[in-house]
Amino acid sequence: MKNTNNTKLILLHPYIQKQGNSNRLWLLAFISLVTIAFLVTLICTRESTSIITATSSIIASTTTTTTTVPLPATVTNTLIHYAAKSNETYHMQYSDLKPISDVLRKCSSPCNFLVFGLTQETLLWKALNHNGRTVFIDENRYYAAYFEEKHPEIDVYDVEYTTKRSEMKELIASAKERVGNECKPVQNLLFSDCKLGLNDLPNHVYEVDWDVILVDGPRGDWPDAPGRMSAIFTAGILARSKKGGNPKTHVFVHDFFGEVERVCGDEFLCKENLVEASYSLGHYMLEKMDENSVHYCKSSRASSST
């Protein structure tokens, strides 16, 4: 006999339940991973910001400290030692380098240093006055442009000298005759018609209160060479015409054995201001003067009153 009972059985496969639970687990895992990643990113960002802030503070404090601290004596001495040992034909001896470097080291920061002439020591002067302003003046515009292109950190300007070494006596006499007018000891040379004054330098050169001036140019080896009459005269005017800062200015004249250097030094920088002199270097210390002064030196003022 056939069984006519049509009862049907429905079986629920367990995979259906497992599949639902699995999807929930994956969703929970995904949310957990996103949350953890967000927290890690937040923590790292805060730490990174703290490190950057701390580093910036350290750099700022270090920079501030550096700008007021001169080069260590060992570094300065090493630099001038090797500069003095240079194989270049025309270079300063140690006995000339040392007095200038000593003044630069003691100069209040930032020190304003003006140099007439591009020489073998140019990079040395820039390095020794690393926290201050160092400006170079040279007669050769092509060499000045070449040097500035090769060393962009060097601030150099060219100037055209109109003097001749052979005319030194006439130029000195002309300046002394006009000491009350165009060639006054205190003036802004930018507007001067004095033959010995340099009036075509950049405006800011006349506005800076120079602490140290070095005359090591231009050339003066032959009669038609410009000689250093204008450079020495201009150095004296700039020193006496200071508006602020230290009232005293150190003026160094290199190649002091030369006639132009010694004679113009006596006339425009004055013997009473000569601090020290060697065969090749003269060191003067000038003070700013009253704008109504009509004498370069105290000795000439005394002689005119008698």
Side-chain angles (χ1 to χ4, degrees), residues 220-261:
D221 301 330
W222 64 96
D224 288 340
R228 298 179 181 174
M229 299 84 70
S230 288
I232 293 173
F233 177 84
T234 299
I237 299 299
L238 292 173
R240 296 185 182 95
S241 305
K242 294 172 75 169
K243 301 297 183 183
N246 191 332
K248 297 182 179 181
T249 302
H250 295 269
V251 180
F252 292 93
V253 180
H254 191 225
D255 298 329
F256 203 53
F257 49 79
E259 180 186 13
V260 169
E261 287 74 12

Side-chain angles (χ1 to χ4, degrees), residues 163-232:
T163 56
K164 293 182 180 180
R165 194 195 70 181
S166 58
E167 300 172 346
M168 180 189 70
K169 292 182 180 179
E170 291 82 356
L171 290 169
I172 292 175
S174 174
K176 294 173 73 172
E177 288 174 4
R178 293 167 173 78
V179 68
N181 297 301
E182 306 99 284
C183 300
K184 293 189 297 183
V186 179
Q187 60 170 308
N188 186 340
L189 286 172
L190 182 63
F191 308 105
S192 176
D193 291 325
C194 184
K195 292 181 179 179
L196 278 179
L198 296 176
N199 61 3
D200 58 347
L201 295 173
N203 292 8
H204 70 269
V205 173
Y206 304 105
E207 297 169 358
V208 174
D209 295 317
W210 299 104
D211 299 297
V212 186
I213 301 175
L214 169 62
V215 178
D216 201 9
R219 298 166 298 169
D221 301 330
W222 64 96
D224 288 340
R228 298 179 181 174
M229 299 84 70
S230 288
I232 293 173

